[in-house]
Amino acid sequence: MQHNILAAAASGVAGFIVGQGGCPDDVFHRAGVEEKALGRPDLALDLGAYVAMMEVAAGATGNDNFGLLFGRQFQPERLGLIGRIALAAPTLGAALDHLARLFPFHQQATETRFIRDGGLLRLEYRILDGRIVERRQDAELTMGMFANVVRAGLGPSWMPEEVHFEHPRPEGWRQHESLFEAPAHFGQRTNALVLRDRDLDRRMPGGDMARLTALCGTLVGIAGDTGAPALLDRVKAEVRARLPEGYPYVEDIADTLGIARWTLQRRLTEEGLSFSDLVEQVRRELAAVYIRQRHVPIADIGALLGYSEVSAFSRAFRRWFGVSPLGMRGR
């Protein structure tokens, strides 16, 4: 099943690629994105191609923090309907609530939540489509976009308390902390901005309830639905989120999905998989991505994949790819 994102999310990406020393035509061709589609903000793009475009752009420009920088300069008014919805909300709290509730219409197969965590608040984001494995650039640009929604209400000097990312710590991670002026944590369950529980009643400069209502209806009408992913993709998403904490328990996954353990196991069996097969599949897919990041130690990759011993990870890696992790890097 194809999941979509509205093309407004890529507004200005061609010019940004040029500014970073890349060739947009080459990036779009390699990612399978039509440039003419990017000029129509309400047109749907394939989500996988959009995410791949950002990864390809990072490689083509030689800027490993491409998504981080693209998101930092991306203002809400360029984000199409979902951006205009946030700006039309009466207060900052309403803006973030609408952003979280309606973002899956802008970008299908996505989980966004605005929740309380003790004395702090979290604006969370992750892709639920299990086929989209390599997605660091998208995560970083989305956190930048979300931060700019808050700045629209509180001013350009606002910064979060913390910023969280699901992927391993990149080589240029200090730029993340510099741009957000906050501690950056990697290898987390989800991507998130952490902010203080204050100023949520601050009036948004462009608040307009009538306009907000109309925009919400338009977005839902264009998107049709949130593109709820298949059960297999949901399970893979939950496994991926829990791996840095150790081997995931099937009971925990079933509880999160709101189904009985036996029902989950039966559904996996119908797909020709056991739970352990699926965990192995997710680990293998992530290992293939992480091993290319040469700055990440082998032991850290093993830990991110839920292995308590590097030797166990090395044996699994050799089983998957016919070569040791160090041997793969040597190639």
Side-chain angles (χ1 to χ4, degrees), residues 8 74-89 95 99 103 106 145 149 152 204 211-212 215 219:
F74 201 106
Q75 296 304 311
E77 55 268 19
R78 293 169 50 202
L79 195 52
L81 287 165
I82 189 64
R84 298 203 296 273
I85 285 170
L87 295 176
L99 180 67
F103 198 80
H106 165 80
M145 291 174 177
V149 170
M204 293 294 285
R211 186 164 178 264
L212 173 64
L215 288 168
L219 175 61

Side-chain angles (χ1 to χ4, degrees), residues 133-260:
V133 179
E134 194 167 5
R135 58 203 199 195
R136 174 196 150 193
Q137 303 300 326
D138 169 76
E140 295 181 2
L141 71 87
T142 303
M143 289 299 97
M145 291 174 177
F146 283 4
N148 283 336
V149 170
V150 183
R151 294 188 186 105
L154 299 183
S157 63
W158 177 86
M159 294 294 175
E161 299 300 306
E162 298 176 359
V163 59
H164 294 187
F165 298 104
E166 64 180 358
H167 49 265
R169 189 172 76 177
E171 192 167 17
W173 63 274
R174 294 189 184 279
Q175 189 171 29
H176 297 64
E177 296 196 336
S178 175
L179 291 181
F180 284 102
E181 294 184 19
H185 301 279
F186 299 89
Q188 304 297 302
R189 273 201 180 192
T190 189
N191 309 291
L193 292 179
V194 180
L195 54 152
R196 290 198 176 277
D197 183 9
R198 65 187 183 200
D199 298 322
L200 293 184
D201 58 350
R202 181 77 66 86
R203 302 291 299 179
M204 293 294 285
D208 184 329
M209 282 301 298
R211 186 164 178 264
L212 173 64
T213 301
L215 288 168
C216 290
T218 301
L219 175 61
V220 173
I222 288 176
D225 58 52
T226 60
L231 177 67
L232 191 61
D233 281 325
R234 286 301 316 274
V235 177
K236 290 178 72 173
E238 297 306 325
V239 167
R240 175 175 180 154
R242 286 168 170 75
L243 279 177
E245 302 164 12
Y247 193 91
Y249 293 100
V250 64
E251 297 88 350
D252 292 340
I253 304 295
D255 286 345
T256 298
L257 298 179
I259 59 177

